[in-house]
Amino acid sequence: MSKDSSVRVRFAPSPTGPLHIGGVRTALYNYLFAKKHGGTFILRIEDTDQTRYVPGAEEYIIQSLQWLGLTPEESVNHGGDFGPYRQSERKDIYRKHVDQLIASGHAYYAFDTPEELESMRAREQAAGVHTPKYDQSVRLKMRNGLTLSQEEVATLIAKGDNVTVRMKVPVDETVTFSDKIREKVSFSSNELDDKVILKADGLPTYHLANIVDDRSMKISHVIRGEEWLSSTAHHVLLYRSFGWEDEMPVFAHLPLILKPSGKGKLSKRDGAKFGFPVFPLEWFDEKEQETFAGFREEGFLPEALINFLSLLGWNPGNDEETFSIDDLCQIFSLDQINKSGAQFNYDKAKWFNQQYINSTETSTLYAALKDSFDNSIDQNYLEKVIEQLKPRVTFLGDFKKQSAFFFDKPTDVDEKGLRKKFKLENEGHFTALASLINDSPNDSESIQTAVKGYIADNELSFGAIFAPLRIFIAGTMAGPDLFEMISLIGNKECSQRILDGIPLAKQLKNNG
Ligand code: GLU
């Protein structure tokens, strides 16, 4: 990996709520791109829209990145040479740039009240304009720096009511930029409105703050969701107005993440609708008094989620699909990002989690899980339980859910299975097997030899014996290897469970 200090990318979320899984993917791709090129990954908090600010959202974003190991080198918490990294703390920088645009004639003050804007829209609609915009066709009919005298402008600024600044979009210009994923994108300036760049509260809008920061933080590549593609036309015009057009960052707009059906964008409501998380961490929404599920709380390993997300929009160019974050840092490339939307497939996410849990060191799993178990349980014993269940679980929480019988006689017994598999004529064989197991040395090999030998000698069917044995011991027919399980729980205890289980099996049988 060569170190290229000129590669600087940023993840720039707005703290307007929890980080959606699409945002996490954007963060991941930025991170991977930075690492691939030995560049810098920056986290910038875009909080200039105070009306949409949600307390706790910034902290949530930071914690999510931390959980996933996507650590920024520059951020609110990590500092850096290009701070502050929270836009609400950069007001003076934006103001200076807005003034520069006003002075050069690329922006103008506008004083229109909400009522005046509303009547402009009504007027335009009456005249047959489908979606009225504050643009070149109406700007000279409004109350702004282009229509009022200098004195009037000065008086209105001093009064301070509804003072905004709008960009003056040029007439008949073509705005063209190249996108790494979409190639060339073109817009006619005549389709673009005079966007507000400074709001009445003195804070800039996203458009101005975003490009001023990308410029002053020396961002080399802007990698973000497709929903920002149309805003880029305004951004290019702003770069042009500042005289920076020749040094714009490279743009790469990532494809949408689609619902499992492939129809429409995956929304925050889809999680509850389809029964899977769409947020990295659980989130309680104060306003809606509703809890949204998180991948972490569902029992996902961050490595599994990363691998899953890496393939939602990018492809390695071959059939391989298991990649550690280190692999991804080596092979990730913007050239292999797909243009079309990526379908969210929760079963695939679960499959990755299963693979990752199975290949995680038992001691690491033990460290992550021990607090969810009774602290009187011996470490060595719990590690062995984890070892046996590891190939069988999908979520971290499954270890707890599927392991009760390792610690106590099962209380939740698969009665249906027992009724089906237990044969009354085998009662004596189970009693004999109980004593055989009791008398065998307590290692899985010996127990296996004894039990299989007995079955063969008595010409019994394996299924008719193994299934009830499993239910007597574990309460269920599913579970790890029978003989490993008996050896871990203990041959004496298991022998007793078999003897205790026979009467229940008979009763179930007799009752039909
Ligand atoms: N603040 C924007 C967001 O919330 C950032 C878009 C961009 O990366 O330019 O996604």
Side-chain angles (χ1 to χ4, degrees):
M1 205 185 306
S2 62
K3 177 87 191 156
D4 182 355
S5 58
S6 68
V7 169
R8 292 177 53 82
V9 292
R10 82 307 191 270
F11 175 51
S14 297
T16 54
L19 190 57
H20 181 268
I21 209 68
V24 179
R25 187 204 47 184
T26 301
L28 172 65
Y29 286 13
N30 274 283
Y31 175 89
L32 295 176
F33 186 74
K35 296 293 157 192
K36 165 82 183 273
H37 296 282
T40 306
F41 172 57
I42 298 153
L43 171 65
R44 182 171 77 219
I45 301 294
E46 300 208 327
D47 61 345
T48 58
D49 190 350
Q50 300 287 306
T51 59
R52 295 183 63 217
Y53 180 80
V54 172
E58 178 182 318
E59 197 41 41
Y60 179 96
I61 292 165
I62 292 170
Q63 278 180 9
S64 302
L65 296 185
Q66 221 163 41
W67 176 62
L68 289 157
L70 305 177
T71 314
E73 278 141 276
E74 295 174 24
S75 77
V76 171
N77 291 344
H78 298 84
D81 293 342
F82 300 83
Y85 292 91
R86 195 182 280 118
Q87 288 188 327
S88 56
E89 293 165 20
R90 299 172 65 82
K91 253 171 111 164
D92 295 347
I93 303 175
Y94 307 128
R95 181 70 238 197
K96 217 176 71 205
H97 284 87
V98 169
D99 288 344
Q100 193 184 324
L101 290 183
I102 297 173
S104 63
H106 291 102
Y108 58 90
Y109 280 107
F111 307 99
D112 314 278
T113 62
E115 296 74 30
E116 285 167 335
L117 291 172
E118 197 35 59
S119 59
M120 175 273 279
R121 282 190 280 266
R123 230 175 26 241
E124 289 290 298
Q125 250 157 1
V129 179
H130 188 59
T131 32
K133 285 191 287 223
Y134 198 123
D135 62 9
Q136 48 182 283
S137 68
V138 307
R139 62 165 77 117
L140 293 177
K141 298 179 221 155
M142 304 302 287
R143 277 197 321 126
N144 57 41
L146 305 173
T147 57
L148 303 171
S149 71
Q150 272 190 9
E151 292 71 38
E152 285 170 308
V153 168
T155 312
L156 286 169
I157 294 173
K159 226 171 124 205
D161 291 341
N162 294 305
V163 185
T164 64
V165 176
R166 287 181 179 268
M167 59 190 285
K168 190 176 169 199
V169 171
V171 181
D172 286 340
E173 283 191 20
T174 307
V175 184
T176 305
F177 59 92
S178 57
D179 185 278
K180 268 299 238 183
I181 298 159
R182 268 144 244 281
E183 284 127 36
K184 227 180 177 80
V185 185
S186 272
F187 290 90
S188 156
S189 68
N190 297 348
E191 296 162 20
L192 306 175
D193 63 334
D194 287 359
K195 284 246 181 289
V196 170
I197 53 174
L198 194 73
K199 293 173 292 170
D201 63 5
L203 282 165
T205 53
Y206 154 73
H207 305 287
L208 182 101
N210 190 267
I211 73 125
V212 165
D213 286 350
D214 283 347
R215 170 80 183 180
S216 63
M217 294 182 179
K218 293 196 166 31
I219 298 304
S220 60
H221 295 73
V222 167
I223 304 168
R224 63 183 167 199
E226 188 178 272
E227 61 273 31
W228 302 102
L229 187 67
S230 59
S231 299
T232 312
H234 279 99
H235 298 179
V236 173
L237 281 177
L238 285 169
Y239 279 109
R240 196 174 285 177
S241 307
F242 282 116
W244 305 331
E245 196 179 356
D246 293 341
E247 295 161 19
M248 286 195 303
V250 174
F251 296 105
H253 287 91
L254 307 174
L256 293 175
I257 298 185
L258 306 174
K259 292 180 200 298
S261 62
K263 294 197 187 84
K265 189 175 159 183
L266 183 73
S267 79
K268 77 171 193 184
R269 295 261 158 240
D270 287 338
K273 200 160 134 203
F274 298 115
F276 55 67
V278 294
F279 296 107
L281 316 180
E282 195 170 273
W283 169 260
F284 178 68
D285 190 307
E286 292 281 350
K287 222 161 87 207
E288 296 170 34
Q289 288 290 302
E290 194 177 340
T291 300
F292 291 89
F295 275 90
R296 181 179 65 183
E297 291 71 13
E298 286 301 303
F300 275 82
L301 288 173
E303 299 86 336
L305 182 56
I306 284 192
N307 197 155
F308 169 66
L309 288 179
S310 74
L311 295 165
L312 274 188
W314 168 84
N315 71 82
N318 58 35
D319 289 344
E320 256 177 81
E321 48 185 6
T322 307
F323 301 107
S324 70
I325 186 98
D326 291 340
D327 296 336
L328 291 166
C329 289
Q330 301 281 341
I331 61 174
F332 181 78
S333 134
L334 292 178
D335 299 331
Q336 269 153 269
I337 289 179
N338 313 329
K339 282 197 188 59
S340 49
Q343 246 165 287
F344 185 93
N345 177 350
Y346 189 54
D347 286 336
K348 192 80 200 184
K350 290 200 296 192
W351 180 83
F352 274 118
N353 205 43
Q354 201 181 357
Q355 304 296 310
Y356 275 86
I357 288 179
N358 194 22
S359 56
T360 299
E361 291 286 338
T362 298
S363 56
T364 308
L365 289 172
Y366 170 78
L369 294 165
K370 70 173 193 303
D371 289 343
S372 57
F373 284 89
D374 193 312
N375 61 10
S376 64
I377 297 170
D378 174 65
Q379 173 169 351
N380 186 34
Y381 188 78
L382 184 50
E383 284 188 346
K384 286 188 174 138
V385 170
I386 293 172
E387 183 76 29
Q388 289 199 12
L389 290 176
K390 217 161 80 163
R392 320 187 47 83
V393 302
T394 303
F395 303 108
L396 287 176
D398 291 345
F399 282 103
K400 174 87 181 162
K401 282 192 207 139
Q402 296 180 15
S403 64
F405 66 86
F406 279 107
F407 309 106
D408 283 306
K409 188 172 153 133
T411 46
D412 191 10
V413 174
D414 177 6
E415 296 188 349
K416 213 170 135 218
L418 203 50
R419 193 179 292 124
K420 195 160 160 228
K421 298 286 183 185
F422 181 80
K423 298 206 169 26
L424 284 170
E425 66 267 26
N426 286 341
E427 179 187 351
H429 292 305
F430 283 109
T431 316
L433 282 164
S435 51
L436 213 61
I437 291 171
N438 186 70
D439 298 340
S440 157
N442 189 30
D443 64 87
S444 59
E445 277 296 304
S446 310
I447 301 166
Q448 174 161 206
T449 312
V451 172
K452 285 190 173 164
Y454 182 91
I455 293 175
D457 292 348
N458 291 278
E459 294 177 356
L460 300 169
S461 120
F462 280 94
I465 300 300
F466 282 0
L469 273 188
R470 282 185 163 282
I471 300 176
F472 292 146
I473 292 164
T476 163
M477 281 191 268
D481 176 81
L482 177 62
F483 305 106
E484 298 282 348
M485 211 162 81
I486 295 177
S487 161
L488 183 57
I489 297 169
N491 58 332
K492 304 258 181 290
E493 166 68 18
C494 290
S495 165
Q496 194 55 51
R497 287 187 190 182
I498 297 166
L499 293 177
D500 293 346
I502 296 171
L504 171 68
K506 279 168 64 183
Q507 191 191 332
L508 287 168
K509 227 39 206 186
N510 290 330
N511 294 345

